[in-house]
Amino acid sequence: MISVILWFTILSAGSVCGAAVWKKRYEEMFPVTCSAIVLILFICGIVGSLKAGVVITELLAAALYIFTAIYLIRLKDIQNFRKNLITSGG
C-alpha cells in the first residue's frame, strides 16, 4: 500500500508543479509528467544505470514538490492553485 501511495506521489509531482506555476489543470499535465518519467528511465536504462534513473526520478519529484511549495508561499495564490489541482476531470 505504501508503495502505491509513493508511486502516485511521484507521478503527481509534475502535475502539481504545472498547476501552480503554469496555471494548467492537473489532468493536462499528468501525461507530460508520465512521459518525462518514462524518458528519464529509458535514457538511464540505455546507459546501463537504471537504478540511478529511479533515484533521479525520486529526487526530481521531491525537488518539484519543494519548488512548488516555495513558489506558492511566495506568490500566495493558493485559491487559483486549488482550482487547477482539484478538478472534475472533464
Side-chain angles (χ1 to χ4, degrees):
M1 182 68 180
I2 298 276
S3 61
V4 173
I5 293 171
L6 182 62
W7 183 242
F8 182 72
T9 304
I10 290 171
L11 279 177
S12 295
S15 302
V16 170
C17 185
V21 176
W22 295 294
K23 311 294 188 261
K24 297 284 185 181
R25 292 170 46 167
Y26 178 87
E27 62 267 15
E28 291 175 341
M29 294 300 294
F30 192 73
V32 176
T33 304
C34 292
S35 299
I37 290 172
V38 168
L39 181 65
I40 291 169
L41 293 175
F42 180 72
I43 290 172
C44 289
I46 288 176
V47 172
S49 58
L50 193 56
K51 288 183 182 180
V54 173
V55 172
I56 290 169
T57 303
E58 291 169 349
L59 291 175
L60 190 59
L64 281 173
Y65 278 119
I66 292 169
F67 171 75
T68 302
I70 292 170
Y71 183 82
L72 287 174
I73 289 170
R74 286 186 155 187
L75 193 64
K76 297 178 183 168
D77 192 19
I78 304 289
Q79 194 68 10
N80 194 22
F81 167 70
R82 195 177 308 157
K83 184 184 78 170
N84 288 326
L85 186 66
I86 303 171
T87 63
S88 62

